[in-house]
Amino acid sequence: MKKHLLSIDDLSVDDVETLFATAAEMHDVQHRQVKKLPALRGRTIINLFFEDSTRTRSSFEIAGKWLSADTINIAAKGSSASKGESLRDTVLTIAAMGVDALVMRHPASGAALQVSQWVDAAVVNAGDGTHEHPSQALLDAYTLQRRIGPLEGRHVAIIGDLTHSRVFRSNVLLLTKLGARVTVVAPPTLMPSGIAAWAAEAGFATSYDVDAVLPDADAVMMLRVQRERMSGGYFPSAREYTVGYGLTRDRLGVLGPDVPICHPGPMNRGLEIAADAADAAQSAVLEQVSAGVAVRMAILYHLLAGEEAQP
Ligand code: CP
């Protein structure tokens, strides 16, 4: 693996398979009474979050702790960033304390790449603006593989607010890398500009019609409507969004019972996903959260323990 994990493009298929194999071993650790492994003893990991997070920040913290690293959380609120300190000064200050890895989330696309050029520590992109969220895509694909087997040739539908979604971008890169057939679905106002050229180059399909795509899907990934990133009216009303693009109770009936339903969280229940779908037996939402710890343990392990290390 490369020194940093900034984008899915940093990973080869071999890297992904290695990460998944390690994650499977780490997953077993989650079910032990004593969950500590000594692999990263003496290493220090800083979680530096300039945006809110429940799943990503806590699972990276748990992952580091279960690998015996010292993990520290820094949020922009409560740090000197709120006094006007620049991102560069903040990360150089933290790096000067001798950290081994920076797991960072930032509202600016490209922030993690920029930071990786300023510090010696390994940098993990835990979400940069609307650009990428590679560890989320890795845990999504890992979860899907455990549910439906190898993704080669399987049809994954990604539905929702594509324009504002870093999860969608990382997932398209990873799922197509693994040979899955991907269709992305959104209303015209939430379809990113220029997507046709990217779709043609990367080999995925686009659609405005959920009901045409769902019957043929082997897995469904619903995306959150990111109202906090919307400056204007992208759809007339929440009700109309749900009718056109939500995974409603009626649409749940169209899916086969073994078709996993994924959502990266946090969910807007009743908007992009009905409670019936979120809580259905085929919902993989909590499995994704559980896999998130194992996959993030694998990421930290391979970045920090070295190529030659075996879990
Ligand atoms: N999926 C995801 O990134 O969730 P959080 O914002 O809670 O970390």
Side-chain angles (χ1 to χ4, degrees):
M1 270 179 66
K2 290 185 177 175
K3 178 178 175 184
H4 308 290
L5 178 57
L6 306 173
S7 161
I8 290 297
D9 275 338
D10 290 331
L11 301 170
S12 65
V13 173
D14 281 352
D15 290 333
V16 175
E17 284 170 0
T18 301
L19 281 170
F20 285 1
T22 304
E25 296 190 38
M26 300 301 182
H27 223 141
D28 293 339
V29 173
Q30 273 174 274
H31 303 294
R32 290 190 200 161
Q33 201 169 16
V34 178
K35 297 181 175 68
K36 285 268 186 195
L37 297 174
L40 297 184
R41 199 164 43 202
R43 303 302 186 100
T44 302
I45 300 168
I46 305 277
N47 290 327
L48 180 60
F49 276 63
F50 292 87
E51 272 185 4
D52 295 341
S53 168
T54 297
R55 282 146 280 267
T56 312
R57 187 172 57 188
S58 52
S59 60
F60 266 116
E61 183 179 2
I62 292 169
K65 287 196 156 98
W66 285 356
L67 290 168
S68 301
D70 294 303
T71 60
I72 292 157
N73 292 323
I74 300 177
K77 287 173 221 154
S79 78
S80 290
S82 66
K83 300 178 197 163
E85 187 169 60
S86 70
L87 175 61
R88 186 167 188 272
D89 283 336
T90 298
V91 296
L92 289 178
T93 300
I94 291 166
M97 296 176 198
V99 306
D100 297 291
L102 266 175
V103 177
M104 67 168 288
R105 172 172 287 188
H106 196 280
S109 300
L113 170 64
Q114 179 68 82
V115 167
S116 73
Q117 293 163 352
W118 289 331
V119 298
D120 283 335
V123 176
V124 180
N125 180 6
D128 61 331
T130 57
H131 176 227
E132 277 216 51
H133 192 351
S135 65
Q136 179 70 46
L138 285 163
L139 75 87
D140 291 340
Y142 174 83
T143 304
L144 286 179
Q145 278 200 6
R146 283 169 70 96
R147 275 283 187 104
I148 62 173
L151 299 180
E152 175 91 43
R154 306 308 294 271
H155 182 204
V156 182
I158 304 178
I159 301 164
D161 177 0
L162 303 180
T163 290
H164 302 101
S165 179
R166 53 198 176 206
V167 173
F168 139 70
R169 285 176 181 76
S170 288
N171 261 300
V172 165
L173 290 173
L174 182 56
L175 291 169
T176 53
K177 194 184 282 275
L178 297 177
R181 189 160 64 86
V182 178
T183 304
V184 301
V185 188
T189 49
L190 289 171
M191 193 64 84
S193 61
I195 195 168
W198 183 30
E201 188 191 328
F204 64 93
T206 65
S207 172
Y208 300 134
D209 188 348
V210 175
D211 297 306
V213 173
L214 282 184
D216 181 41
D218 295 312
V220 176
M221 197 175 285
M222 300 307 297
L223 296 175
R224 183 169 69 87
V225 174
Q226 300 194 34
R227 283 186 276 205
E228 76 279 13
R229 294 190 204 275
M230 293 182 181
S231 52
Y234 285 82
F235 43 85
S237 68
R239 172 81 189 133
E240 285 184 58
Y241 182 87
T242 303
V243 168
Y245 292 91
L247 187 54
T248 57
R249 184 190 294 182
D250 286 349
R251 291 193 175 111
L252 179 62
V254 170
L255 297 178
D258 298 328
V259 174
I261 298 166
C262 297
H263 191 304
M267 294 183 280
N268 293 309
R269 282 173 182 259
L271 180 55
E272 72 265 2
I273 187 165
D276 303 74
D279 301 330
Q282 68 207 81
S283 168
V285 172
L286 292 179
E287 274 170 59
Q288 289 172 270
V289 176
S290 168
V293 178
V295 167
R296 287 168 175 139
M297 287 174 83
I299 291 167
L300 294 175
Y301 177 80
H302 283 286
L303 288 179
L304 293 179
E307 283 296 317
E308 68 289 347
Q310 292 297 320

